[in-house]
Amino acid sequence: MDELLAQGLQAVRAGARVALDPGESLRIGTKRNRNDVVTQVDREVEALVAEMLAPTGYAFVGEEAHAARSWDGRVWVLDPIDGTLNYVAVHRGWAISLALVEDGRPLLGIVADPVDDRLYVALAGRGAWEGRLGVRDDGAAGCPSVAGSKAGDDDGVAGPGAGVPEVVARLVPGARPLVVEDGELADGVVIAHLHALAALRHLPEIIESSRGLRVYGAAALELAEVAAGRAGCLVHTRLQPWDVAAGVLLCQEAGAVVTRVDGTHLDVREAGSVLAGPASTHATMARRLVEG
């Protein structure tokens, strides 16, 4: 898994460099509606990441052009640019999201925020961490292979700190653990979208009892905000596997609870709703959403 993490990070960083500097004007198209946009960069990043991960031998699912013949075994799941409308319109608030999933369970998750130089990484059963993406420095920072330089060598990457495995310290500059502290709904902000407000009749009044509503426009970053403890709860009514596969693992490994909106198990292979937050907040939200 350590080597797969290294390969995944190398591919994500390569994709981030393309997205940050595509070398040409954006060609913008639409899919389901005028706000569901796609660019040539989405497709180029997906093609590049798929090519770089092909040697792993695992199937590959991407939002734009790669579908799975089967979800059996291990499958890479990629959103090449999560938040393409943000990428086009405001040039920030977008992410690259990559996960390795086995039988509906994420084993590895990577969420990169290239503009803010943030990187989120999670390994099933081993934790979640936040650090620097590093692609803005010299084009190679933070990208040594697992078999390469050792933590603490003179390579610009610090040795492991408390709660940071050596492999993560080598691959993620400035890595620090993500730990979600339990908290009440009233003490955090709620991330939700207009479609959730329309579909869940109790949600507006629930938000009024919180510290307010936020919308990021990129589900991977929204889940990362929960995992980092900067948001109290996330409510979505319908997301796709590539939207959530990496972010769900970030939240789970940081200590948040993640389910469907009705509290049932979430299988990341299937599109559907998402409710994520610290245990107490999640329980309160789940109960109030279904109250008569």
Side-chain angles (χ1 to χ4, degrees), residues 1 22 38 56 90 105 116 133 151 168 183 194 226 253 266 285 290:
M1 194 57 60
V38 63
T56 66
V90 298
R105 174 176 174 258
D116 283 353
L133 180 59
V168 175
L194 286 175
V226 174
E253 289 297 319
L266 189 156
M285 180 69 78
V290 301

Side-chain angles (χ1 to χ4, degrees), residues 2 5 121-123 125-129 151 157-172 175-178:
D2 290 355
L5 175 63
V121 172
L123 294 170
R126 295 171 64 184
W129 306 272
V157 183
V164 182
E166 184 177 349
V167 64
V168 175
R170 287 202 303 269
L171 298 172
V172 182
R176 60 184 183 276
L178 295 177

Side-chain angles (χ1 to χ4, degrees), residues 184-193 197 203-216 222 225-226 230-235 276 281 285 288:
E184 298 300 325
L185 176 63
D187 297 326
V189 299
V190 175
I191 299 176
H193 292 245
L197 291 168
L203 186 55
E205 64 191 61
I206 295 172
I207 291 171
E208 288 183 3
S209 67
S210 74
R211 298 199 68 180
L213 173 68
R214 295 294 182 271
V215 181
Y216 290 68
E222 292 168 341
E225 289 294 285
V226 174
R230 294 188 289 264
C233 193
L234 166 71
V235 185
T281 298
M285 180 69 78
R288 293 184 63 180

Side-chain angles (χ1 to χ4, degrees), residues 17-69:
R17 294 186 189 101
V18 170
L20 285 169
D21 185 14
E24 60 179 335
S25 299
L26 294 180
R27 300 189 297 275
I28 304 167
T30 59
K31 295 188 285 188
R32 294 170 301 173
N33 56 61
R34 63 187 294 268
N35 292 329
D36 186 14
V37 298
V38 63
T39 72
Q40 84 277 17
V41 180
D42 296 74
R43 298 186 177 100
E44 289 172 9
V45 171
E46 182 170 316
L48 175 61
V49 173
E51 179 181 7
M52 293 182 68
L53 294 179
T56 66
Y58 299 139
F60 187 93
V61 173
E63 179 179 7
E64 306 306 334
H66 293 76
R69 296 178 182 175

